[in-house]
Amino acid sequence: MLSTFLSQIANGLVLGSLIALIALGYTMVYGIITLINFAHGEIFMVGAYGGLATLTYLMPTFIAQRWYFALPVVLVGGALISVLVAVAMERFAYRPLRNAPRLAPLITALGVSVALQEAVRVFYPGATAAIPFPNLFIEGTWIIPIGDGVPIRYTGILLIVVSLVLAFGLERFIERTRMGRAMRATSQDRDVARLMGVDPDRIIVLTFAIGGALAGVAGVLYGSYLNNINIDMGFQNGIFAFTAAVLGGIGNIRGAVIGGLVIGLVKALGGQYLPGGTAYDYVWIFVVLIIVLVFRPQGFFGETERVRA
């Protein structure tokens, strides 16, 4: 039925928008220092818990009961916690290994990922199991008048809109601002950028901070959409986000967004229409990834690296 198909499209766009927000952090960090930050999924998870802590322990009741006050405050709280953790991660875990063989920071990222999960499990009250997360936006569902009606929750619409707006703003920031030009220069050649007056350490910290903020916003919106969070949510969605970044062309912002949307649609439609149903929806995601990389190894928007003889 048309309504069922369009409902899966809507679900895929919501999931894809979430994945795109997380993937932006992956692709930015890789673009600047060619590091695959496997702990970025846990930054997303920490942002969700930071937002919940802001709502639970720091927000007065009269603000928490009004979504138009609560939502921006919780988003800022979650983003701030994620930024602090991301910057600390860069300073104490990755910066000392910046000139080490590539395997060292990769293993360190995996260690940081496990450490963040366990830190939240131990220190956040009740984090040993899933924790309820309240809806921070308008309650209810919008029925799109097509066929028998296509339902999409208002929180899903919010997630799609916020994701696209932030991705567009990030692209404009990198293309149009002085700091964005410094980020592009650092990405192309760190030593030459330093000679031109750019401080690479400052740019790298800024990159981690921006990626952390986007992941924190994604974590809060994820919790508000699903109405619960758990410490394992970062690993699964982090894998999806990394796959989206590779699919779109790692290092490319537009590619990360398109890759995220593609993965969301493949998961939703594959679980509904392809053999195996929802039990095999992960399989179809990686089948698509393999097919794309076979014919276009650099991804949708990636550029082929040229090595000078």
Side-chain angles (χ1 to χ4, degrees):
M1 294 177 61
L2 177 62
S3 297
T4 302
F5 175 76
L6 293 178
S7 295
Q8 294 304 318
I9 292 287
N11 293 335
L13 290 176
V14 172
L15 175 61
S17 299
L18 171 76
I19 294 170
L21 268 182
I22 308 172
L24 289 172
Y26 271 109
T27 205
M28 287 179 63
V29 169
Y30 184 86
I32 297 293
I33 58 174
T34 62
L35 167 69
I36 300 174
N37 181 17
F38 279 120
H40 189 67
E42 274 56 53
I43 300 297
F44 158 75
M45 178 269 294
V46 167
Y49 279 92
L52 183 60
T54 302
L55 180 67
T56 305
Y57 301 111
L58 301 178
M59 190 176 297
T61 303
F62 76 93
I63 293 180
Q65 292 176 344
R66 294 165 174 80
W67 71 264
Y68 42 84
F69 289 141
L71 177 62
V73 173
V74 175
L75 286 174
V76 170
L80 181 60
I81 295 297
S82 289
V83 168
L84 292 176
V85 173
V87 170
M89 178 194 305
E90 188 280 329
R91 178 62 184 86
F92 298 107
Y94 296 146
R95 188 178 299 184
L97 301 174
R98 196 170 292 168
N99 297 318
R102 289 194 178 186
L103 186 60
L106 183 63
I107 295 174
T108 300
L110 295 174
V112 171
S113 173
V114 174
L116 287 175
Q117 285 191 38
E118 293 306 312
V120 174
R121 186 201 305 273
V122 171
F123 294 109
Y124 196 95
T128 53
I131 298 178
F133 197 109
N135 180 16
L136 297 172
F137 195 51
I138 302 171
E139 295 282 357
T141 302
W142 179 39
I143 306 297
I144 303 174
I146 300 177
D148 296 330
V150 179
I152 180 170
R153 291 175 57 195
Y154 290 117
T155 47
I157 297 173
L158 174 68
L159 209 161
I160 294 172
V161 171
V162 169
S163 175
L164 295 178
V165 168
L166 289 179
F168 178 80
L170 177 61
E171 189 174 43
R172 295 281 80 77
F173 170 80
I174 291 177
E175 289 182 355
R176 303 289 179 85
T177 67
R178 181 178 180 181
M179 194 61 71
R181 290 193 294 271
M183 293 174 71
R184 284 184 282 138
T186 304
S187 173
Q188 294 173 9
D189 193 313
R190 197 182 309 168
D191 293 329
V192 173
R194 183 181 283 109
L195 293 174
M196 299 300 293
V198 175
D199 183 354
D201 288 337
R202 181 183 178 189
I203 296 302
I204 292 170
V205 169
L206 176 64
T207 301
F208 272 86
I210 293 175
L214 294 174
V217 169
V220 170
L221 294 177
Y222 175 90
S224 182
Y225 182 74
L226 290 186
N227 300 130
N228 70 81
I229 57 176
N230 61 76
I231 62 170
D232 298 322
M233 61 189 258
F235 177 78
Q236 173 182 302
N237 290 290
I239 292 295
F240 285 161
F242 172 65
T243 305
V246 173
L247 191 65
I250 194 162
N252 187 287
I253 291 175
R254 190 172 304 175
V257 175
I258 299 299
L261 295 176
V262 168
I263 286 178
L265 291 171
V266 169
K267 186 177 187 302
L269 295 175
Q272 181 71 27
Y273 297 107
L274 294 178
T278 54
Y280 285 85
D281 53 7
Y282 287 20
V283 173
W284 298 117
I285 289 173
F286 291 101
V287 167
V288 170
L289 176 65
I290 292 169
I291 292 173
V292 170
L293 294 184
V294 165
F295 294 99
R296 189 172 174 82
Q298 68 271 34
F300 293 142
F301 295 93
E303 297 180 359
T304 303
E305 293 186 4
R306 294 178 174 83
V307 180
R308 294 183 178 179

